[in-house]
């Protein structure tokens, strides 16, 4: 389960997830109402290796975050750099809809 930080400013929400070793194709972001879902999979490079100790997590992960207001897909920006996924979500007022 990747560690995540969720915080807000006056005009945006931010979600930052630690995803070292993943590329954009390994990650999926879904929006449904007030929920943002972060899904992905971290695979091993070589499954023929016999491990003595494993401290890093592998496999599927899924995180769901609830926001105080509905999220619209067209106001989300996401970038993956240096193992950090940064998601920026613009806030909007009901009068802006």
């Amino acid at each position: 389960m990747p560690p995540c930080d969720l915080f807000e400013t006056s005009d945006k929400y931010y979600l930052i997830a630690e995803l070292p070793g993943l590329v954009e194709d390994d990650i999926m972001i879904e929006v449904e109402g007030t929920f943002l879902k972060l899904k992905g999979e971290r695979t091993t490079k070589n499954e023929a290796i016999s491990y003595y100790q494993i401290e890093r997590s592998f496999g599927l992960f899924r995180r769901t975050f609830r926001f105080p207001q509905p999220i619209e897909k067209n106001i989300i920006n996401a970038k993956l750099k240096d193992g950090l996924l940064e998601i920026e979500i613009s806030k909007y007022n009901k009068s802006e809809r």
Side-chain angles (χ1 to χ4, degrees), residues 1-2 10 27 52 55 62 64 79 97:
M1 195 68 56
S10 61
I27 304 164
Y52 292 105
E55 294 184 3
R62 180 182 182 144
T64 301
K79 66 178 180 177
R97 293 184 116 187

Side-chain angles (χ1 to χ4, degrees), residues 43-79:
T43 57
T44 60
K45 300 287 185 220
N46 186 344
E47 299 200 10
I49 295 174
S50 296
Y51 286 94
Y52 292 105
Q53 182 172 335
I54 296 177
E55 294 184 3
R56 297 175 299 141
S57 60
F58 293 95
L60 297 172
F61 65 85
R62 180 182 182 144
R63 301 284 312 261
T64 301
F65 303 91
R66 185 168 188 231
F67 290 84
Q69 63 191 37
I71 301 168
E72 292 197 24
K73 294 177 185 179
N74 62 344
I75 57 174
I76 295 176
N77 292 311
K79 66 178 180 177

Side-chain angles (χ1 to χ4, degrees), residues 10-13 69-70 72 75 90-97:
S10 61
D11 62 339
K12 294 181 182 176
Y13 296 108
Q69 63 191 37
E72 292 197 24
I75 57 174
S90 296
K91 293 181 181 180
Y92 65 91
N93 297 326
K94 289 183 180 181
S95 62
E96 295 175 2
R97 293 184 116 187

Side-chain angles (χ1 to χ4, degrees), residues 26-47:
D26 297 331
I27 304 164
M28 181 185 300
I29 299 169
E30 293 180 356
V31 174
E32 189 175 305
T34 59
F35 294 94
L36 183 141
K37 297 176 184 178
L38 178 62
K39 301 177 188 178
E41 183 173 13
R42 180 176 288 126
T43 57
T44 60
K45 300 287 185 220
N46 186 344
E47 299 200 10

